[in-house]
Amino acid sequence: MTASVPGLVTQSLTVPVSGGELAVTQWPGSGPPVVALHGITANSLAFADLAEELPDADLYAPDLRGRAASAALPGPYGLAAHVRDTVALLDHLGRRQAVLVGHSMGAFVAALAAARHPERFPRVVLVDGGLGFPAPAGTDIDELLQAVIGPAMDRLSMTFEDRESYLAFFRAHPALAPHWGPRVAAYVDRDLTGRAPELRSSCVLDAVRADGADVLGDPEVLAAVHRSQVRGTLLWAERGLLDEPRALYDPERVAAAGLDPDRMPARRVDGTNHYSILFPPAAGEVAAAVRAAMPGRGEG
């Protein structure tokens, strides 16, 4: 089966996992395997531009459990489930190791996977995610999720009369509008499910809540990026989820987190927001970090 991504050769495969089959998009290549993990309400096609920047890699991006073509996979949800699914993908491919790339929530999954399985994932590239800050005791997780990713959460309860009105909603998104084109359209279209006049997001709300709770409050998830066996690079966007000046990270917060710069150097990608850090030209900088993490090309 061939997936429709403008300008790229793309294949689709399924991987047996607990409860069913994980849908995976592959951009085939003759080079080392790279596994890319998307954000909390995203899907595999978020990495199309990165794939174009990495023609020397064999790139696999799953639709994570509870999203897009993997929406039917049941719980239990949570980041540990995504780690198990990622290991199952590597086993299915018959590969011993892969570079892990994670964006947003996917970066937290990547760090957790590397902490638990450093022999399988010796290098990670964390993109605007993976470095967390514990929520205050007694915080309501739903309220905090709404504060952090409110627009994305709101979309999960919305319905659309037809595909055109759905695409128009995204064309007006302040972080996506300047980058709108066939690939962004294909990415958002992959999340669309249901029948007119009640088309909706494929994301399972329980999966989003469980994953969000882990990102915001699970001690193992929050500690993962600080573990000595987790090695790679953290790239963070200059602007936020709605292209607002306040981003998820800033130099002060990153510095205060106490990352080891030899083990996990961190740098800002200028001129980007939370989403556009995966689009050209920033995708080239992400790709450079991935190449540096490939066997024989990075440090150590």
Coordinates of all heavy atoms in Angstrom, one line a residue, residues 118-183:
P118 N 18.4 1.6 26.2 CA 19.5 2.3 25.6 C 20.3 1.4 24.6 O 20.9 2.0 23.6 CB 20.5 2.6 26.8 CG 20.1 1.6 27.9 CD 18.6 1.4 27.7
E119 N 20.2 0.1 24.7 CA 20.8 -0.8 23.7 C 20.1 -0.7 22.4 O 20.7 -1.1 21.3 CB 20.9 -2.2 24.3 CG 19.6 -3.0 24.2 CD 18.6 -2.6 25.3 OE1 18.9 -1.7 26.1 OE2 17.5 -3.1 25.3
R120 N 18.8 -0.4 22.4 CA 18.1 -0.3 21.1 C 18.0 1.1 20.6 O 18.0 1.3 19.3 CB 16.6 -0.7 21.4 CG 16.4 -2.1 22.1 CD 17.0 -3.2 21.3 NE 16.5 -3.5 20.0 CZ 15.4 -4.2 19.7 NH1 14.7 -4.8 20.7 NH2 15.0 -4.4 18.5
F121 N 18.1 2.1 21.4 CA 18.0 3.5 21.0 C 19.1 4.3 21.6 O 18.9 5.1 22.6 CB 16.6 4.1 21.4 CG 15.5 3.2 21.0 CD1 14.7 2.5 22.0 CD2 15.1 3.1 19.7 CE1 13.7 1.7 21.6 CE2 14.1 2.3 19.3 CZ 13.3 1.6 20.2
P122 N 20.3 4.2 21.1 CA 21.5 4.8 21.7 C 21.5 6.3 21.5 O 22.2 7.0 22.2 CB 22.7 4.1 21.0 CG 22.1 3.6 19.7 CD 20.7 3.3 20.0
R123 N 20.8 6.9 20.5 CA 20.8 8.3 20.2 C 19.4 8.8 19.9 O 18.6 8.1 19.3 CB 21.7 8.6 19.0 CG 23.2 8.3 19.2 CD 23.8 9.4 20.0 NE 25.2 9.1 20.3 CZ 26.1 10.0 20.8 NH1 25.7 11.3 21.0 NH2 27.3 9.7 21.0
V124 N 19.1 10.0 20.4 CA 17.8 10.6 20.2 C 17.9 12.0 19.7 O 18.9 12.7 20.0 CB 16.9 10.5 21.5 CG1 16.6 9.1 22.0 CG2 17.6 11.3 22.6
V125 N 16.9 12.4 19.0 CA 16.8 13.9 18.6 C 15.5 14.3 19.2 O 14.4 13.8 18.7 CB 16.9 14.1 17.1 CG1 16.7 15.6 16.8 CG2 18.3 13.6 16.6
L126 N 15.5 15.2 20.1 CA 14.2 15.7 20.8 C 13.9 17.1 20.2 O 14.7 18.0 20.2 CB 14.4 15.8 22.3 CG 15.0 14.5 22.9 CD1 15.1 14.8 24.4 CD2 14.1 13.3 22.7
V127 N 12.7 17.2 19.6 CA 12.3 18.4 18.9 C 11.2 19.1 19.6 O 10.0 18.6 19.6 CB 11.9 18.1 17.4 CG1 11.6 19.4 16.7 CG2 13.0 17.3 16.7
D128 N 11.4 20.2 20.3 CA 10.4 21.0 21.0 C 9.6 20.1 22.0 O 8.4 20.2 22.1 CB 9.5 21.7 20.1 CG 9.2 23.1 20.6 OD1 10.1 23.7 21.3 OD2 8.1 23.6 20.4
G129 N 10.3 19.2 22.7 CA 9.7 18.4 23.7 C 10.8 17.5 24.3 O 11.9 17.6 24.0
G130 N 10.3 16.7 25.3 CA 11.2 15.8 25.9 C 11.8 16.3 27.3 O 12.1 15.5 28.1
L131 N 11.8 17.6 27.4 CA 12.3 18.2 28.7 C 11.1 18.7 29.4 O 10.4 19.7 28.9 CB 13.3 19.3 28.4 CG 13.8 20.1 29.6 CD1 14.6 19.2 30.6 CD2 14.7 21.3 29.1
G132 N 10.7 18.1 30.5 CA 9.5 18.5 31.2 C 9.8 19.2 32.5 O 10.9 19.2 33.1
F133 N 8.7 19.8 33.0 CA 8.8 20.6 34.3 C 7.6 20.1 35.1 O 6.4 20.2 34.7 CB 8.7 22.1 34.0 CG 9.8 22.5 33.1 CD1 9.5 22.7 31.7 CD2 11.0 22.8 33.5 CE1 10.5 23.1 30.8 CE2 12.0 23.2 32.7 CZ 11.8 23.4 31.3
P134 N 7.8 19.5 36.3 CA 6.7 18.9 37.0 C 5.6 19.9 37.3 O 5.8 21.1 37.7 CB 7.4 18.4 38.3 CG 8.8 18.3 38.0 CD 9.1 19.4 36.9
A135 N 4.4 19.4 37.2 CA 3.2 20.2 37.6 C 3.1 20.4 39.1 O 3.5 19.4 39.8 CB 1.9 19.6 37.1
P136 N 2.7 21.5 39.6 CA 2.5 21.7 41.1 C 1.6 20.6 41.7 O 0.7 20.1 41.0 CB 1.9 23.0 41.2 CG 2.2 23.8 39.9 CD 2.3 22.7 38.9
A137 N 1.9 20.2 42.9 CA 1.0 19.2 43.5 C -0.4 19.6 43.6 O -0.7 20.8 43.8 CB 1.5 18.9 45.0
G138 N -1.3 18.7 43.3 CA -2.8 19.0 43.3 C -3.3 19.6 42.1 O -4.5 19.9 42.0
T139 N -2.5 19.7 41.0 CA -2.9 20.3 39.8 C -3.9 19.4 39.1 O -3.7 18.2 39.0 CB -1.7 20.6 38.8 OG1 -0.8 21.5 39.5 CG2 -2.2 21.2 37.5
D140 N -5.0 19.9 38.6 CA -5.9 19.2 37.8 C -5.3 19.0 36.4 O -5.1 20.0 35.7 CB -7.3 19.9 37.7 CG -8.3 19.1 36.9 OD1 -8.3 19.2 35.6 OD2 -9.1 18.4 37.5
I141 N -5.1 17.7 36.0 CA -4.4 17.5 34.7 C -5.2 18.0 33.5 O -4.6 18.5 32.6 CB -4.1 16.0 34.6 CG1 -3.0 15.6 35.6 CG2 -3.6 15.7 33.2 CD1 -1.7 16.2 35.5
D142 N -6.5 17.8 33.5 CA -7.3 18.3 32.4 C -7.2 19.8 32.3 O -7.1 20.3 31.2 CB -8.8 17.9 32.6 CG -9.1 16.5 32.1 OD1 -8.2 15.8 31.5 OD2 -10.2 16.0 32.4
E143 N -7.2 20.5 33.4 CA -7.1 21.9 33.3 C -5.7 22.3 32.8 O -5.6 23.3 32.0 CB -7.3 22.5 34.7 CG -8.7 22.5 35.2 CD -8.9 23.1 36.6 OE1 -7.9 23.7 37.1 OE2 -10.1 23.1 37.1
L144 N -4.7 21.6 33.2 CA -3.3 21.9 32.8 C -3.2 21.6 31.3 O -2.6 22.4 30.5 CB -2.3 21.2 33.6 CG -0.8 21.6 33.4 CD1 -0.6 23.1 33.6 CD2 0.1 20.8 34.3
L145 N -3.7 20.5 30.8 CA -3.7 20.2 29.4 C -4.4 21.3 28.6 O -3.9 21.7 27.5 CB -4.4 18.8 29.2 CG -3.6 17.6 29.3 CD1 -4.5 16.4 29.1 CD2 -2.5 17.6 28.2
Q146 N -5.5 21.8 29.1 CA -6.2 22.8 28.4 C -5.4 24.1 28.4 O -5.4 24.8 27.3 CB -7.6 23.1 29.2 CG -8.5 24.1 28.4 CD -9.0 23.6 27.1 OE1 -9.2 22.4 27.0 NE2 -9.2 24.5 26.1
A147 N -4.7 24.4 29.4 CA -3.8 25.6 29.4 C -2.6 25.4 28.5 O -2.3 26.4 27.8 CB -3.3 25.8 30.8
V148 N -2.1 24.2 28.3 CA -0.9 24.0 27.5 C -1.2 23.8 26.0 O -0.6 24.4 25.1 CB -0.1 22.8 28.0 CG1 1.1 22.6 27.1 CG2 0.4 23.1 29.5
I149 N -2.2 22.9 25.8 CA -2.6 22.6 24.4 C -4.1 22.8 24.1 O -4.7 22.0 23.4 CB -2.1 21.2 24.0 CG1 -2.8 20.1 24.9 CG2 -0.6 21.0 24.0 CD1 -2.7 18.7 24.4
G150 N -4.6 23.9 24.7 CA -6.0 24.1 24.6 C -6.6 24.0 23.2 O -7.6 23.3 23.0
P151 N -6.1 24.7 22.2 CA -6.7 24.7 20.9 C -6.7 23.3 20.3 O -7.6 22.9 19.7 CB -5.8 25.6 20.1 CG -5.2 26.6 21.1 CD -5.0 25.8 22.3
A152 N -5.6 22.5 20.6 CA -5.6 21.1 20.1 C -6.6 20.3 20.8 O -7.3 19.4 20.2 CB -4.2 20.5 20.3
M153 N -6.8 20.5 22.1 CA -7.8 19.7 22.8 C -9.2 20.1 22.3 O -10.1 19.2 22.2 CB -7.7 20.0 24.3 CG -6.5 19.4 25.0 SD -6.6 17.6 25.2 CE -7.8 17.5 26.5
D154 N -9.4 21.4 22.1 CA -10.8 21.8 21.7 C -11.1 21.2 20.3 O -12.3 20.8 20.1 CB -10.8 23.4 21.5 CG -10.7 24.1 22.8 OD1 -10.9 23.5 23.9 OD2 -10.4 25.3 22.8
R155 N -10.2 21.0 19.5 CA -10.4 20.5 18.1 C -11.0 19.0 18.2 O -11.8 18.6 17.4 CB -9.1 20.5 17.3 CG -9.3 19.9 15.9 CD -8.0 20.1 15.1 NE -6.8 19.5 15.7 CZ -6.5 18.2 15.5 NH1 -7.3 17.4 14.8 NH2 -5.4 17.7 16.0
L156 N -10.6 18.3 19.3 CA -11.0 16.9 19.4 C -12.5 16.8 19.5 O -13.1 15.7 19.3 CB -10.3 16.2 20.5 CG -8.8 16.2 20.5 CD1 -8.2 15.3 21.5 CD2 -8.3 15.8 19.1
S157 N -13.2 17.8 20.0 CA -14.6 17.8 20.2 C -15.4 18.5 19.1 O -16.6 18.5 19.1 CB -15.0 18.4 21.6 OG -14.6 19.8 21.6
M158 N -14.7 19.0 18.1 CA -15.3 19.7 17.0 C -15.8 18.7 15.9 O -15.2 17.7 15.7 CB -14.4 20.7 16.4 CG -14.0 21.8 17.4 SD -12.7 22.9 16.6 CE -13.7 23.6 15.3
T159 N -16.8 19.1 15.2 CA -17.2 18.4 14.0 C -17.3 19.3 12.8 O -17.4 20.5 13.0 CB -18.6 17.7 14.1 OG1 -19.6 18.7 14.4 CG2 -18.6 16.7 15.3
F160 N -17.1 18.8 11.6 CA -17.0 19.6 10.4 C -18.0 19.0 9.4 O -18.2 17.8 9.2 CB -15.6 19.5 9.8 CG -14.6 20.1 10.8 CD1 -14.0 19.2 11.7 CD2 -14.2 21.4 10.8 CE1 -13.1 19.7 12.6 CE2 -13.3 21.9 11.7 CZ -12.7 21.1 12.6
E161 N -18.7 19.9 8.7 CA -19.7 19.5 7.7 C -19.1 18.8 6.5 O -19.7 17.9 5.9 CB -20.5 20.8 7.2 CG -21.4 21.4 8.3 CD -22.2 22.5 7.7 OE1 -22.1 22.8 6.5 OE2 -23.1 23.0 8.4
D162 N -17.9 19.2 6.1 CA -17.3 18.6 5.0 C -15.7 18.8 5.1 O -15.2 19.5 5.9 CB -17.8 19.1 3.6 CG -17.8 20.7 3.6 OD1 -16.8 21.3 4.1 OD2 -18.7 21.3 3.1
R163 N -15.0 18.1 4.2 CA -13.6 18.2 4.2 C -13.1 19.6 3.9 O -12.1 20.0 4.5 CB -13.0 17.2 3.1 CG -11.5 17.2 3.1 CD -11.0 16.1 2.1 NE -9.5 16.1 2.0 CZ -8.9 16.8 1.1 NH1 -9.6 17.6 0.2 NH2 -7.6 16.8 1.0
E164 N -13.8 20.3 3.1 CA -13.3 21.7 2.8 C -13.4 22.6 4.0 O -12.5 23.4 4.2 CB -14.2 22.3 1.7 CG -14.0 21.7 0.3 CD -14.5 20.2 0.2 OE1 -15.4 19.8 0.9 OE2 -13.9 19.5 -0.6
S165 N -14.4 22.5 4.8 CA -14.5 23.3 6.0 C -13.4 22.9 7.0 O -12.9 23.7 7.8 CB -15.9 23.2 6.7 OG -16.2 21.9 7.0
Y166 N -13.1 21.6 7.1 CA -12.0 21.1 7.9 C -10.7 21.7 7.5 O -9.9 22.2 8.4 CB -12.0 19.6 7.9 CG -10.9 18.9 8.6 CD1 -10.8 18.7 9.9 CD2 -9.8 18.4 7.8 CE1 -9.8 18.1 10.6 CE2 -8.7 17.7 8.4 CZ -8.7 17.6 9.8 OH -7.7 17.0 10.4
L167 N -10.4 21.6 6.2 CA -9.1 22.2 5.8 C -9.1 23.7 6.0 O -8.0 24.2 6.3 CB -8.9 21.8 4.3 CG -8.7 20.3 4.0 CD1 -8.5 20.1 2.5 CD2 -7.5 19.8 4.7
A168 N -10.2 24.3 5.8 CA -10.2 25.8 6.0 C -9.9 26.1 7.5 O -9.2 27.1 7.7 CB -11.6 26.3 5.6
F169 N -10.3 25.3 8.4 CA -10.0 25.5 9.8 C -8.5 25.5 10.0 O -8.0 26.4 10.7 CB -10.7 24.4 10.6 CG -10.2 24.4 12.1 CD1 -10.8 25.2 13.0 CD2 -9.2 23.5 12.5 CE1 -10.4 25.1 14.4 CE2 -8.8 23.4 13.8 CZ -9.4 24.2 14.8
F170 N -7.8 24.6 9.4 CA -6.4 24.5 9.6 C -5.6 25.6 8.8 O -4.6 26.0 9.2 CB -5.9 23.1 9.2 CG -6.0 22.1 10.3 CD1 -7.1 21.2 10.3 CD2 -5.1 22.1 11.3 CE1 -7.2 20.3 11.3 CE2 -5.3 21.2 12.4 CZ -6.3 20.3 12.3
R171 N -6.2 26.0 7.6 CA -5.5 27.0 6.8 C -5.5 28.3 7.6 O -4.7 29.2 7.4 CB -6.3 27.2 5.5 CG -5.8 26.2 4.4 CD -6.2 26.7 3.0 NE -7.7 26.9 2.9 CZ -8.5 26.0 2.5 NH1 -8.1 24.8 2.2 NH2 -9.8 26.2 2.4
A172 N -6.4 28.5 8.6 CA -6.5 29.7 9.4 C -5.7 29.6 10.6 O -5.6 30.6 11.4 CB -7.9 30.0 9.7
H173 N -5.1 28.4 10.9 CA -4.3 28.2 12.1 C -3.0 29.1 12.0 O -2.3 29.1 11.1 CB -3.9 26.8 12.2 CG -3.3 26.4 13.5 ND1 -2.1 26.9 14.0 CD2 -3.8 25.5 14.5 CE1 -1.9 26.3 15.2 NE2 -2.9 25.5 15.5
P174 N -2.8 30.0 13.1 CA -1.7 30.9 13.0 C -0.3 30.3 12.8 O 0.6 30.9 12.3 CB -1.8 31.8 14.2 CG -2.7 30.9 15.2 CD -3.6 30.1 14.3
A175 N -0.2 29.1 13.3 CA 1.2 28.5 13.3 C 1.4 27.7 11.9 O 2.5 27.5 11.5 CB 1.4 27.5 14.4
L176 N 0.2 27.4 11.3 CA 0.3 26.6 10.0 C 0.1 27.4 8.8 O 0.6 27.1 7.7 CB -0.7 25.4 10.1 CG -0.5 24.4 11.2 CD1 -1.7 23.4 11.1 CD2 0.8 23.7 11.0
A177 N -0.7 28.5 8.9 CA -1.1 29.2 7.7 C 0.0 29.7 6.8 O 0.0 29.5 5.6 CB -2.0 30.4 8.1
P178 N 1.1 30.2 7.4 CA 2.2 30.7 6.5 C 2.9 29.5 5.8 O 3.7 29.8 4.8 CB 3.2 31.4 7.4 CG 2.4 31.7 8.7 CD 1.4 30.6 8.8
H179 N 2.7 28.3 6.2 CA 3.4 27.1 5.6 C 2.4 26.2 4.9 O 2.8 25.1 4.5 CB 4.0 26.4 6.8 CG 4.9 27.2 7.7 ND1 6.2 27.6 7.4 CD2 4.6 27.8 8.9 CE1 6.6 28.4 8.3 NE2 5.7 28.5 9.2
W180 N 1.2 26.7 4.6 CA 0.2 25.8 4.0 C 0.6 25.4 2.6 O 1.1 26.2 1.8 CB -1.1 26.5 4.0 CG -2.2 25.6 3.6 CD1 -2.8 25.4 2.3 CD2 -2.9 24.7 4.4 NE1 -3.7 24.4 2.4 CE2 -3.8 24.0 3.6 CE3 -2.8 24.4 5.8 CZ2 -4.7 23.0 4.1 CZ3 -3.6 23.4 6.3 CH2 -4.5 22.7 5.5
G181 N 0.4 24.1 2.3 CA 0.7 23.6 1.0 C 0.2 22.1 1.0 O -0.4 21.6 2.0
P182 N 0.5 21.4 -0.1 CA 0.0 20.0 -0.2 C 0.4 19.1 0.9 O -0.3 18.2 1.3 CB 0.6 19.6 -1.6 CG 0.8 20.9 -2.3 CD 1.2 21.9 -1.3
R183 N 1.7 19.2 1.4 CA 2.1 18.3 2.4 C 1.4 18.6 3.8 O 1.1 17.7 4.5 CB 3.6 18.4 2.6 CG 4.3 17.7 1.4 CD 5.8 17.6 1.6 NE 6.4 17.0 0.4 CZ 7.7 17.0 0.2 NH1 8.5 17.6 1.1 NH2 8.2 16.5 -0.9

